[in-house]
Amino acid sequence: DIDEATVAAAKVTYFEGYMWDTDNQKKAILKAMDYTAASGGLVSISLSDSFCVDRFRGEFLDLIRDRVDILFANEDEIKSLYEVDSFEEAVELLRPHVQVGALTRSDKGSMIIAGSETIEVSADKVDVIDTTGAGDMYAAGFLYGYTNGRALDICGKLGSLAAGEVISHLGARPEAALDGLAKARGL
């Protein structure tokens, strides 16, 4: 049920590791990745959760090496993927395989890697109520900036802004208008 024209029209196609479960889901994702690549778009994926990484480590590593342009992961997920204890080691293992890695680190903010470039982005200071949706909102903010030609540091700040808003209340959807928050911060 993948519509080639819709997928081909996207600048970036985003997939969740949670979706990599059944054979039918995998076939659909691979088909969409093929359409994306053929149209000149970029493929992005979020590792979603350490349990997803543990279940599909080999397949995720293959996807990242062969098909993924932009990877989203948190600190635990990326260390689990490469089975290392050091975040810094995991970053260096990832670096040659993606165009961009956007790695979140909770209250430590995020790190964005692109080739030899490393950008550190501070976390927004908020009272954390519910972390549900934080990773998805980070990816949404980041990809909004990225697909609109913003610099990587601004993409990271937009991701942090979106994640910070959603963790400040119960529920996985923003309660404040993110464009207004971004404009207020000059983003």
Side-chain angles (χ1 to χ4, degrees):
D1 293 335
I2 303 299
D3 182 70
E4 182 176 1
T6 300
V7 174
K11 292 179 184 176
V12 177
T13 306
Y14 176 77
F15 301 97
E16 285 278 350
Y18 288 127
M19 297 166 60
W20 193 259
D21 199 35
T22 67
D23 287 340
N24 282 340
Q25 288 170 298
K26 291 174 185 180
K27 287 177 189 174
I29 291 168
L30 292 172
K31 187 180 210 179
M33 286 179 170
D34 288 342
Y35 291 156
T36 299
S39 70
L42 299 175
V43 170
S44 67
I45 191 168
S46 167
L47 294 182
S48 296
D49 198 293
S50 293
F51 84 83
C52 289
V53 173
D54 291 340
R55 284 183 63 190
F56 302 115
R57 181 174 291 106
E59 292 170 273
F60 282 177
L61 286 167
D62 289 344
L63 288 172
I64 291 164
R65 278 192 296 267
D66 300 334
R67 294 174 172 265
V68 172
D69 301 299
I70 303 170
L71 177 76
F72 293 95
N74 69 30
E75 186 169 3
D76 291 336
E77 293 160 359
I78 200 67
K79 291 188 323 189
S80 176
L81 180 69
Y82 289 108
E83 298 182 282
V84 296
D85 293 327
S86 162
F87 175 71
E88 292 74 16
E89 185 178 357
V91 168
E92 293 311 312
L93 290 167
L94 172 65
R95 195 180 293 274
H97 299 291
V98 294
Q99 288 181 29
V100 176
L103 308 171
T104 58
R105 305 185 74 194
S106 298
D107 62 342
K108 296 177 194 167
S110 62
M111 177 184 286
I112 300 155
I113 61 169
S116 62
E117 185 177 11
T118 301
I119 300 164
E120 304 240 9
V121 178
S122 300
D124 278 15
K125 303 292 184 217
V126 298
D127 290 327
V128 178
I129 305 298
D130 178 10
T131 61
T132 305
D136 289 330
M137 289 305 298
Y138 180 91
F142 186 96
L143 288 173
Y144 171 81
Y146 195 83
T147 58
N148 283 283
R150 307 300 289 277
L152 290 175
D153 65 321
I154 301 300
C155 296
K157 289 176 183 178
L158 288 166
S160 289
L161 178 134
E165 196 290 326
V166 81
I167 66 174
S168 69
H169 56 79
L170 286 174
R173 297 187 187 269
E175 291 181 350
L178 296 177
D179 60 343
L181 294 176
K183 286 177 187 172
R185 294 188 192 178
L187 299 174

